[in-house]
Amino acid sequence: EDKVVQSPLSLVVHEGDTVTLNCSYEVTNFRSLLWYKQEKKAPTFLFMLTSSGIEKKSGRLSSILDKKELFSILNITATQTGDSAIYLCAVEGKGGSEKLVFGKGMKLTVNP
Amino acid sequence: NAGVTQTPKFRVLKTGQSMTLLCAQDMNHEYMYWYRQDPGMGLRLIHYSVGEGTTAKGEVPDGYNVSRLKKQNFLLGLESAAPSQTSVYFCASSVPGTPGYTFGSGTRLTVV
């Protein structure tokens, strides 16, 4: 059974701090790992990672995948209150339907 | 450009009642999914479809049925609602080979 474990499950930081979110996984025939940000409603796509060691970057957010150790991290530098959200990690196995298995999510709160 | 539209947005049902949640997408996406999201549980796949006229079970299909009679619509039915089905339901769609899902804004269902 495919499995995704995120840690920590919640984190409270102050504006300007740097945070690292962890995601470990077990999946049959790994295809990709995805990160989403969920504020009040629907999750929004952040990154998709398929290859080890290649960093994906978007502004203050970056992510990297280690396929040997089966984990990914999402870094957020110089956090802002607008980064407060639930961050979801998901994995996709090969199978043709592209269905995702999600972790439980990590709730980040950034205080001013 | 509407994307993925879910109706209704909120609903309260009594135990034993039935209802249908509608998901409509205008992006000509091939794949569609229904997830439920419960506190501390992340997103769990209920059913999915890889094309018009096809459906398959996900991780938590019991108590739900689905139909995809038209490519743009994916219906989720509850035949006899139970309090355990109180949740936020998300529909999503995707294109084979394109990263990430497009999510609807969710339906908050309460069964009393």
Side-chain angles (χ1 to χ4, degrees):
Chain A
E1 182 181 321
D2 298 345
K3 187 177 176 183
V4 176
V5 178
Q6 292 187 243
S7 63
L9 292 181
S10 67
L11 192 59
V12 180
V13 301
H14 291 290
E15 266 192 319
D17 288 350
T18 293
V19 297
T20 299
L21 287 58
N22 302 292
C23 176
S24 63
Y25 63 90
E26 298 173 20
V27 62
T28 305
N29 296 323
F30 174 87
R31 182 174 178 179
S32 63
L33 183 145
L34 295 89
W35 285 97
Y36 287 83
K37 178 182 181 181
Q38 185 178 23
E39 296 176 87
K40 293 196 182 300
K41 291 188 176 178
T44 54
F45 173 74
L46 293 175
F47 298 113
M48 184 179 80
L49 303 153
T50 58
S51 301
S52 281
I54 299 175
E55 185 183 52
K56 292 284 183 86
K57 197 170 172 66
S58 176
R60 296 175 295 101
L61 277 66
S62 63
S63 184
I64 198 160
L65 174 68
D66 185 327
K67 290 169 72 174
K68 183 179 178 184
E69 300 297 329
L70 307 182
F71 78 90
S72 174
I73 59 172
L74 175 68
N75 278 321
I76 308 175
T77 59
T79 52
Q80 303 171 356
T81 55
D83 295 325
S84 295
I86 294 173
Y87 290 85
L88 297 163
C89 175
V91 294
E92 178 193 0
K94 294 176 184 173
S97 64
E98 300 189 359
K99 57 184 189 290
L100 299 178
V101 175
F102 285 84
K104 294 183 177 181
M106 195 285 270
K107 183 177 181 181
L108 175 65
T109 303
V110 182
N111 290 324
Chain B
N1 193 4
V4 177
T5 303
Q6 290 183 233
T7 53
K9 293 191 179 343
F10 303 93
R11 184 74 186 269
V12 178
L13 283 181
K14 293 183 179 178
T15 298
Q17 287 185 319
S18 63
M19 79 164 293
T20 300
L21 282 65
L22 171 63
C23 177
Q25 52 97 0
D26 61 0
M27 300 169 289
N28 203 35
H29 284 181
E30 200 66 35
Y31 298 164
M32 296 186 76
Y33 314 84
W34 276 107
Y35 283 85
R36 60 178 287 174
Q37 186 174 34
D38 303 295
M41 297 295 292
L43 285 152
R44 294 182 292 170
L45 182 64
I46 306 171
H47 286 280
Y48 64 98
S49 168
V50 298
E52 181 179 317
T54 70
T55 62
K57 292 180 181 180
E59 181 187 354
V60 289
D62 293 344
Y64 305 95
N65 56 74
V66 287
S67 65
R68 185 127 181 245
L69 299 179
K70 293 183 179 181
K71 186 177 183 179
Q72 63 267 34
N73 295 336
F74 195 27
L75 279 63
L76 178 71
L78 286 73
E79 290 187 347
S80 179
S84 62
Q85 294 177 303
T86 293
S87 189
V88 180
Y89 292 85
F90 285 101
C91 176
S93 67
S94 71
V95 174
T98 301
Y101 291 169
T102 301
F103 280 92
S105 57
T107 296
R108 184 173 294 275
L109 175 66
T110 302
V111 183
V112 297

